[in-house]
Amino acid sequence: STFRVIESCLKQMIMSSSKKFTIAVEGNIGSGKSTVLAYLSKSSLCDIVTEPVDSWTNLNGNNLLGMLYNNPHRWGFAFQANAQMTLAKLHAQQSKAPIKVMERSIYSTRYCFVENLYRNNILHNVEYEILNDWFQMLISNDSCYLDLIIYLRAKPETCLERIKSRNRPEEQSITIDYLKQLHERHEDWLAPQIRTSTTPVLIVDANQTKEHVYNTTSTHLLTLTTC
Ligand code: TTP
């Protein structure tokens, strides 16, 4: 089963005590990353690093996330440059616990969001080149290394329902088409057979009811990390 992957990775980590282990939880907007992280935070073996959405909605008093959704052509580059940098800083943050669990990573800013804005001609190819150059520079640092990606794979329709029910003001304009595109970017990057990622990927079916998915995932992971 897919959990064997994480099991063997964790065993490896525990056996070589000096090695810290870094996991990124990835998946479409609304796939349930924050909820899974909230559950994992119960394990004393995990240090949780949440995504800095709050800093994106209040950057020196500016709501950069809202600006992005209102005018992606104007703010796409600035938003992505900032997202990339904030995530690179979180990669560099040392964890005290043996397992560091991150919500997203610098890789999804590049392979999902930047890629998608570029393919929709929202980012100019000069902007795309600049972001890519910075990305390559940032990931050349060892701190951006990931041992495992947990991919919460959910249908775009499921994600849209969850986005509507949480009702984040900036995300009112998110459409099913946008979520389908982002789903494809995640699939290109992480799905078996076609994946471009070289990091091991644990795929979790995140289509079931929220509670069921999160309980199942976290129970598996908590059992593994506390045994
Ligand atoms: P997500 O990173 O998908 O976080 P979430 O809170 O929606 O996740 P979940 O529901 O699974 O817990 O997105 C947060 C917001 O930031 C969302 O509106 C998309 C936006 N975003 C970008 O536009 N570009 C980026 O590079 C990233 C990382 C996020």
Side-chain angles (χ1 to χ4, degrees):
S1 90
T2 43
F3 284 99
R4 261 190 235 130
V5 178
I6 190 169
E7 192 172 21
S8 71
C9 291
L10 287 171
K11 273 193 188 139
Q12 216 182 323
M13 180 277 300
I14 287 159
M15 274 155 55
S16 59
S17 57
S18 60
K19 165 136 176 48
K20 299 255 171 144
F21 196 80
T22 306
I23 299 175
V25 177
E26 299 282 2
N28 211 340
I29 305 170
S31 58
K33 298 177 291 294
S34 332
T35 323
V36 167
L37 288 172
Y39 275 101
L40 289 176
S41 68
K42 293 173 188 166
S43 165
S44 60
L45 284 184
C46 295
D47 263 352
I48 308 296
V49 180
T50 52
E51 191 179 49
V53 181
D54 288 350
S55 77
W56 300 343
T57 55
N58 184 3
L59 190 77
N60 294 335
N62 296 295
N63 184 345
L64 190 53
L65 186 66
M67 289 150 80
L68 169 78
Y69 280 111
N70 284 334
N71 190 349
H73 284 89
R74 171 67 183 83
W75 294 109
F77 177 80
F79 184 91
Q80 292 307 144
N82 185 59
Q84 198 164 260
M85 184 56 79
T86 50
L87 277 152
K89 286 179 185 165
L90 295 179
H91 276 284
Q93 220 171 71
Q94 298 282 328
S95 90
K96 289 199 187 83
I99 304 168
K100 174 173 161 185
V101 187
M102 295 183 65
E103 180 172 13
R104 288 212 179 277
S105 62
I106 191 168
Y107 303 97
S108 46
T109 69
R110 168 65 186 85
Y111 298 131
C112 302
F113 291 95
V114 168
E115 190 61 30
N116 206 57
L117 288 171
Y118 175 62
R119 292 195 193 190
N120 282 294
N121 294 317
I122 292 172
L123 284 179
H124 190 280
N125 55 18
V126 166
E127 296 175 311
Y128 181 70
E129 285 310 320
I130 293 170
L131 287 171
N132 198 31
D133 211 22
W134 287 6
F135 169 77
Q136 294 300 340
M137 173 75 186
L138 291 167
I139 63 163
S140 68
N141 192 307
D142 285 348
S143 68
C144 288
Y145 182 81
L146 290 180
D147 295 280
L148 180 74
I149 293 172
I150 297 177
Y151 173 26
L152 299 182
R153 192 188 215 178
K155 286 191 201 126
E157 290 77 9
T158 312
C159 295
L160 189 60
E161 270 171 38
R162 291 176 185 165
I163 292 167
K164 280 186 180 153
S165 66
R166 81 171 166 213
N167 209 13
R168 224 181 241 158
E170 297 82 11
E171 294 178 343
Q172 300 298 319
S173 61
I174 290 183
T175 60
I176 191 69
D177 281 348
Y178 180 56
L179 293 174
K180 283 181 177 166
Q181 290 178 9
L182 280 180
H183 178 73
E184 285 314 310
R185 301 292 78 76
H186 280 83
E187 289 287 298
D188 293 344
W189 174 39
L190 301 173
Q193 273 89 49
I194 55 170
R195 76 171 55 128
T196 52
S197 167
T198 50
T199 304
V201 183
L202 170 70
I203 298 185
V204 174
D205 177 5
N207 287 303
Q208 306 163 60
T209 66
K210 248 184 181 177
E211 290 69 24
H212 185 85
V213 172
Y214 308 144
N215 280 329
T216 317
T217 313
S218 53
T219 306
H220 273 283
L221 295 176
L222 283 178
T223 312
L224 287 167
T225 52
T226 50
C227 62

